Amino acid sequence: MHNNNPFLVVLFVAASFYRGSDAAASFCVGDLTRQPTPSGYPCKNPENVTVDDFVFTEFVKRVNTSNANKASIVRANSTTFPAFPGLNGLGLAVARADIEPGGAIPLHSHPAATEMIYVAEGSITAGFISGASNVVYVKKLNKGEVMVFPRGLFHFQVNTGKEHAVGIASFSDSEPGVQLVSLAIFGNDFPSFLVEKTTSIDEAEVKKLKALLGGSG
Ligand SMILES: *[C@@H]1O[C@H](CO)[C@@H](O)[C@H](O)[C@H]1NC(C)=O
Ligand SMILES: *[C@@H]1O[C@H](CO)[C@@H](O)[C@H](O)[C@H]1NC(C)=O
Ligand SMILES: *[C@@H]1O[C@H](CO)[C@@H](O)[C@H](O)[C@H]1NC(C)=O
């Protein structure tokens, strides 16, 4: 017999929510003193979990931006050093980006993660290129604004303002991976004549960029 009792339906829905929010099953703070497994660290004994396991304080520090890009990133997940043990098993990573005026995080993609950036200081001109139609979605983000870069798409962040800029990013995977377009083309031993053939950038320019980005051939 088909059961249409609304009371039972409500009970069933409530029970599913209850299971989903069972505190014991909803987190596994990594015990960093033990050996990690491919799925992360074994869980810390719940008695030894403290609020500090869920708080990451490393991003209060400014990152050194003395480099050619005038920009730097520090990334963290549950296993990096310093680690954020509360992220263990949650499939997330976080990062802080510091960008000087005129600096840039070069065009890159994260094959495994969607990224969301929050502008904590200054302003950041950010954008991504859509996959199928190569439409460029770009906008100058002011302090407090958030932008999302869908997984795998090429994106960038540039400081076109006059103040130091800081972005806090979160990623939908503990290991987002990163591929920089400039290094993929000019930072390796991809033969220059093939780079010219496959990108239409003339060989002299290719050799110049290879010298700049540590490539050869
Ligand atoms: C957990 O905390 C208890 C009490 O502070 C301590 O005796 C025990 O060694 C701790 N266990 C671990 C694995 O740190
Ligand atoms: C930043 O890095 C540069 C280059 O590595 C170094 O010379 C400089 O001392 C660093 N600055 C600080 C404040 O650590
Ligand atoms: C955290 O990031 C590091 C550096 O990318 C990576 O080697 C490590 O596998 C990541 N940890 C997890 C749990 O994905």
Side-chain angles (χ1 to χ4, degrees):
M1 195 186 79
H2 197 74
N3 195 329
N4 281 323
N5 185 331
F7 178 71
L8 285 181
V9 170
V10 167
L11 256 188
F12 173 75
V13 170
S16 341
F17 275 112
Y18 179 72
R19 268 204 307 278
S21 63
D22 182 347
S26 63
F27 63 78
C28 163
V29 171
D31 182 349
L32 307 186
T33 64
R34 290 162 70 194
Q35 273 301 317
T37 70
S39 56
Y41 280 92
C43 307
K44 215 174 167 178
N45 183 336
E47 283 172 22
N48 297 54
V49 170
T50 73
V51 66
D52 290 335
D53 290 317
F54 302 101
V55 175
F56 193 65
T57 55
E58 201 58 25
F59 293 165
V60 301
K61 297 182 204 155
R62 207 182 241 232
V63 189
N64 188 335
T65 49
S66 319
N67 56 51
N69 294 323
K70 295 200 230 165
S72 281
I73 289 181
V74 269
R75 252 181 55 199
N77 60 25
S78 61
T79 59
T80 44
F81 184 81
F84 190 167
L87 288 187
N88 193 52
L90 298 182
L92 295 169
V94 288
R96 168 174 169 144
D98 282 63
I99 318 174
E100 297 302 327
I105 311 285
L107 195 62
H108 64 283
S109 86
H110 304 292
T114 288
E115 173 179 343
M116 194 145 75
I117 192 169
Y118 163 79
V119 179
E121 281 177 38
S123 61
I124 294 174
T125 298
F128 70 88
I129 303 164
S130 77
S133 47
N134 287 317
V135 175
V136 183
Y137 295 95
V138 58
K139 180 154 174 135
K140 183 173 180 182
L141 308 171
N142 294 312
K143 181 174 172 167
E145 293 180 335
V146 170
M147 184 166 179
V148 65
F149 310 100
R151 184 171 76 179
L153 298 183
F154 290 117
H155 60 280
F156 56 85
Q157 289 98 8
V158 180
N159 186 347
T160 56
K162 293 191 165 59
E163 292 169 59
H164 182 89
V166 176
I168 303 293
S170 54
F171 301 89
S172 64
D173 194 275
S174 57
E175 169 92 84
V178 61
Q179 186 168 39
L180 278 128
V181 173
S182 54
L183 292 183
I185 304 174
F186 307 111
N188 49 23
D189 59 359
F190 194 174
S192 294
F193 81 97
L194 290 178
V195 176
E196 179 182 73
K197 283 278 172 238
T198 54
T199 65
S200 308
I201 301 169
D202 76 69
E203 197 168 338
E205 186 64 20
V206 171
K207 286 193 190 294
K208 200 177 103 189
L209 290 166
K210 276 180 173 284
L212 197 67
L213 293 160
S216 59

